[in-house]
Amino acid sequence: MVPTIKDVAKRAGVGIGTVSRVINNQKAVGDKTKSKVLSAMKELNYLPNNMASQLRRNRTKLIALLVPVISHPFFAKFAYYVEDQADKFGYSVLLVSSQQRVEKEKEIISRIKQRKVDGAVFVTHFMHDESLFTDCPIVSMDRTFGENVPYVTSDNYQATQNALEYMIERGARKIGFLGSKPLVESEVMERERAYIDLMNQKGMPVCSVNQVILHGEEEIIVNDFMQKYSDVDGVFVSGYSLSQIFYKRAVAQGKKIPNDLQIVSYDGEFAQWGVNNLTCVEQPIEQMAREIVNQLIKKINGEPTQMRTVIKTRFVEGLTTKK
Amino acid sequence: MVPTIKDVAKRAGVGIGTVSRVINNQKAVGDKTKSKVLSAMKELNYLPNNMASQLRRNRTKLIALLVPVISHPFFAKFAYYVEDQADKFGYSVLLVSSQQRVEKEKEIISRIKQRKVDGAVFVTHFMHDESLFTDCPIVSMDRTFGENVPYVTSDNYQATQNALEYMIERGARKIGFLGSKPLVESEVMERERAYIDLMNQKGMPVCSVNQVILHGEEEIIVNDFMQKYSDVDGVFVSGYSLSQIFYKRAVAQGKKIPNDLQIVSYDGEFAQWGVNNLTCVEQPIEQMAREIVNQLIKKINGEPTQMRTVIKTRFVEGLTTKK
DNA sequence: CTGAAAGCGCTTACAG
DNA sequence: CTGAAAGCGCTTACAG
């Protein structure tokens, strides 16, 4: 049979409490005792039973990460860093893809309540009933929902305006905006607000399509935009999927990029798959992921957290804007 | 405080054993008792503590899934179905990306031994020391490594030959092969074997580049191939990443596809991101994933498993071969 | 059909 | 510094 802490204690000739102290390497163990225990552990090939310590400590050391779709390069990269950071605290990550279904969110809440996981990162969010998750350690990205859920976001407003100014400096006179609207309050909406504000300020026309869609339905927005505003000479596209589709479509229509049409995308540096070299506002995914995990661990441990953390984006000059 | 099974028992005026039977809805509970317990549970807002039942049952209801990189569309899709199928058995999935590091495999073995997870799916595999994972419930894809690890694969040999014949029927007379070689014994190698056999049989030249590389290093193979065999009129590319890169490169070199050059890829139907409409051999990812999970659950439960399961591929006629 | 009791393998005050 | 003991919240023979 698999050896337990009792077997180790017997073999080392000590109490099980002492073995436990060695496992969790607490100070208060004498050197000789310690080495006796250590070698007993080695001889028996002992490994602590995780389930037992979980029960005692009331911690699973597991967090859930809820993303809309894993196969989206942004979320894939994000998930990678969440895992890496969680690991530093001894936590593993349960990756759940919501496919935009609100039940998945409820399911995770219930997992927390059943103590299958200690907390969760919500990148998606459709639930409106805040009361369901009071007391649940949850941290979010971009979404602002309620007093109890800290979130990490990027400088959406400023970064968008900077990107627009960049195109204007390079001659753009009629700039469009494409975006997909989140279902709940989210700082992502700042991007369109920044766009509208700047257009008004500059006396330029507002040519915006910003709708609620599901992942995978980006075509709808692109179609709609193309129909209404085919004569723009600059476009700000909010989000990687949209910009991929928009770019391909524009090229297919014979637009010369960047000469006829300049494009800046929010997100876009995922090189390997898809169109490369978009000029884009790059969110520092790694930094955002690590910060989110840090906040979550604090929440789990009952330490004070920061409600809103803003991470600065980086502007990447690609081939879809003029020199 | 959070209510426990004791609180429910007290409120319902029954023993805790009875509550437990209701929770796990076993037959042997009287209707009246059952409804008393049920309403006590509802009143107290009771949720069973997962950690406690884990300890008693010696099951975490968790499996690990080890993939080389999550962000690869093939693995992303695969992971999705693994999760979906595992869920049917009440299992959650811990997604781990190995980044090709052998330590990650060892780490998972150790998680199994520490009872942090009940079993694992290995899509990657570099470890050679079989003795490390005897007794560990592990199931693999494509990789054949040892008596104790069942695996699921596709009909690599046959599917490759069919694809080659398809190009030959359409006029291809000099066909190349591009592949990345796995580090351990794997049925993926059947693809090149099928290619070489057929070329010999038809008296056609063998133009093959098949090397060991890491994910992300696909350029090396493409470069090498382009240099050696620039005059082929057909190409079989093993794997999605390679085919994406090869296709873009061929187009950049001014090749007319499919007129100058026909391409068939093993894997390729991941539409949304990247180049669409490759002619390809499509592995039924969903079916493979579900079958792998089924085998793993059997292994975990100590039931007999099938060592080798072959899933039939589907040939998809795209735009990179002639009509 | 149901209750009382043992035990899963740990951790952690408590006393020494 | 160290041991004995209680207890985490369940499940499961066992007896009735």
Side-chain angles (χ1 to χ4, degrees), chain A residues 16-225:
Chain A
I16 60 167
T18 304
V19 177
S20 175
R21 285 177 203 111
V22 172
I23 293 169
N24 303 293
N25 70 93
Q26 282 153 325
K27 284 272 118 214
V29 182
D31 279 350
K32 278 167 277 172
T33 323
K34 191 169 181 172
S35 72
K36 267 195 300 180
V37 172
L38 252 18
S39 55
M41 282 175 24
K42 198 148 288 170
E43 284 162 40
L44 293 171
N45 228 310
Y46 170 76
L47 284 176
N49 182 322
N50 197 251
M51 294 182 278
S53 57
Q54 278 181 197
L55 177 58
R56 261 317 301 253
R57 291 201 161 119
N58 200 26
R59 282 289 153 80
T60 60
K61 288 287 195 167
L62 219 51
I63 60 179
L65 168 58
L66 186 68
V67 295
V69 281
I70 334 178
S71 53
H72 190 295
F74 182 89
F75 300 123
K77 200 168 168 186
F78 181 75
Y80 173 76
Y81 289 114
V82 166
E83 193 193 39
D84 192 71
Q85 185 70 5
D87 189 61
K88 293 188 180 159
F89 295 95
Y91 273 80
S92 299
V93 177
L94 213 49
L95 190 50
V96 180
S97 74
S98 74
Q99 310 288 320
Q100 322 260 46
R101 285 167 303 173
V102 67
E103 313 91 75
K104 281 282 179 181
E105 296 181 2
K106 294 192 176 150
E107 189 198 305
I108 290 195
I109 305 283
S110 137
R111 283 194 203 189
I112 295 177
K113 295 197 168 159
Q114 277 180 68
R115 279 136 299 182
K116 289 184 175 183
V117 300
D118 292 344
V121 173
F122 275 24
V123 177
T124 163
H125 171 51
F126 303 104
M127 210 184 329
H128 290 81
D129 186 358
E130 287 182 34
S131 72
L132 277 174
F133 49 82
T134 31
D135 296 341
C136 289
I138 295 177
V139 174
S140 152
M141 182 159 75
D142 291 334
R143 278 71 179 173
T144 63
F145 51 108
E147 299 295 294
N148 291 303
V149 182
Y151 64 95
V152 173
T153 187
S154 59
D155 55 345
N156 292 282
Y157 192 93
Q158 198 53 54
T160 302
Q161 289 210 339
N162 293 348
L164 293 166
E165 299 269 21
Y166 185 90
M167 283 192 280
I168 293 168
E169 276 166 23
R170 280 159 184 74
R173 289 299 167 258
K174 184 168 183 188
I175 301 183
F177 181 97
L178 283 89
S180 63
K181 209 181 269 183
L183 272 174
V184 291
E185 200 56 41
S186 161
E187 301 225 355
V188 167
M189 302 216 261
E190 292 295 287
R191 298 177 196 167
E192 192 189 25
R193 201 164 67 76
Y195 165 78
I196 292 174
D197 288 354
L198 193 72
M199 292 302 103
N200 287 338
Q201 184 186 315
K202 299 268 182 191
M204 291 170 69
V206 168
C207 310
S208 167
V209 173
N210 196 18
Q211 293 175 204
V212 173
I213 52 152
L214 298 177
H215 279 272
E217 295 184 348
E218 287 81 3
E219 298 276 351
I220 297 172
I221 290 173
V222 174
N223 289 340
D224 198 14
F225 184 90

Side-chain angles (χ1 to χ4, degrees), chain B residues 155-224:
Chain B
D155 54 345
N156 292 281
Y157 192 94
Q158 198 53 55
T160 301
Q161 289 210 338
N162 293 347
L164 293 166
E165 299 269 20
Y166 185 90
M167 283 191 280
I168 294 169
E169 277 165 23
R170 281 159 184 73
R173 290 298 166 260
K174 184 168 183 188
I175 301 184
F177 180 97
L178 283 89
S180 64
K181 209 181 269 183
L183 272 173
V184 291
E185 199 56 42
S186 161
E187 300 225 355
V188 167
M189 302 215 262
E190 292 294 286
R191 299 177 195 166
E192 191 188 25
R193 202 164 65 77
Y195 164 79
I196 293 173
D197 288 356
L198 193 73
M199 294 301 104
N200 288 338
Q201 184 187 317
K202 300 267 182 191
M204 292 168 68
V206 167
C207 311
S208 167
V209 174
N210 196 17
Q211 292 176 205
V212 172
I213 51 151
L214 297 177
H215 279 271
E217 294 183 350
E218 287 80 3
E219 298 275 351
I220 297 172
I221 290 173
V222 174
N223 289 340
D224 198 14

Side-chain angles (χ1 to χ4, degrees), chain B residues 72-321:
Chain B
H72 190 296
F74 182 89
F75 300 123
K77 200 168 169 184
F78 181 75
Y80 173 75
Y81 289 114
V82 165
E83 193 193 38
D84 192 71
Q85 185 70 5
D87 188 61
K88 293 188 181 162
F89 294 95
Y91 273 80
S92 299
V93 177
L94 215 48
L95 191 51
V96 180
S97 75
S98 74
Q99 312 285 322
Q100 322 260 47
R101 285 167 304 173
V102 67
E103 313 92 74
K104 281 282 178 179
E105 296 181 1
K106 294 193 176 148
E107 189 199 304
I108 290 194
I109 305 283
S110 138
R111 284 194 203 189
I112 295 176
K113 295 195 168 158
Q114 277 181 68
R115 280 136 299 184
K116 289 184 175 184
V117 300
D118 292 343
V121 173
F122 274 25
V123 177
T124 164
H125 171 52
F126 303 102
M127 210 184 327
H128 290 81
D129 186 358
E130 288 183 33
S131 72
L132 277 175
F133 48 83
T134 31
D135 297 341
C136 288
I138 295 178
V139 174
S140 153
M141 182 158 76
D142 291 333
R143 277 70 178 173
T144 64
F145 51 108
E147 300 294 293
N148 291 304
V149 182
Y151 64 96
V152 173
T153 187
S154 58
D155 54 345
N156 292 281
Y157 192 94
Q158 198 53 55
T160 301
Q161 289 210 338
N162 293 347
L164 293 166
E165 299 269 20
Y166 185 90
M167 283 191 280
I168 294 169
E169 277 165 23
R170 281 159 184 73
R173 290 298 166 260
K174 184 168 183 188
I175 301 184
F177 180 97
L178 283 89
S180 64
K181 209 181 269 183
L183 272 173
V184 291
E185 199 56 42
S186 161
E187 300 225 355
V188 167
M189 302 215 262
E190 292 294 286
R191 299 177 195 166
E192 191 188 25
R193 202 164 65 77
Y195 164 79
I196 293 173
D197 288 356
L198 193 73
M199 294 301 104
N200 288 338
Q201 184 187 317
K202 300 267 182 191
M204 292 168 68
V206 167
C207 311
S208 167
V209 174
N210 196 17
Q211 292 176 205
V212 172
I213 51 151
L214 297 177
H215 279 271
E217 294 183 350
E218 287 80 3
E219 298 275 351
I220 297 172
I221 290 173
V222 174
N223 289 340
D224 198 14
F225 184 90
M226 290 293 193
Q227 208 171 326
K228 287 186 184 151
Y229 309 114
S230 57
D231 60 336
V232 293
D233 58 5
V235 157
F236 183 90
V237 190
S238 170
Y240 178 72
S241 318
L242 264 181
S243 61
Q244 289 286 309
I245 294 169
F246 181 81
Y247 177 89
K248 287 187 200 167
R249 184 72 68 81
V251 169
Q253 289 191 351
K255 300 271 184 193
K256 294 296 166 218
I257 295 170
N259 287 337
D260 296 353
L261 177 64
Q262 300 187 74
I263 303 177
V264 176
S265 157
Y266 209 100
D267 296 341
E269 274 288 270
F270 308 112
Q272 209 177 145
W273 327 106
V275 180
N276 306 326
N277 293 319
L278 293 179
T279 296
C280 62
V281 174
E282 190 198 342
Q283 300 190 65
I285 302 186
E286 174 174 354
Q287 203 186 337
M288 292 175 82
R290 295 197 191 280
E291 189 54 37
I292 282 180
V293 172
N294 292 346
Q295 294 295 327
L296 180 60
I297 301 292
K298 281 184 188 162
K299 224 164 181 228
I300 289 173
N301 293 332
E303 296 162 18
T305 54
Q306 183 167 346
M307 266 307 293
R308 178 171 185 267
T309 306
V310 181
I311 308 283
K312 250 208 150 73
T313 52
R314 194 168 70 90
F315 189 75
V316 180
E317 301 185 320
L319 302 179
T320 56
T321 45

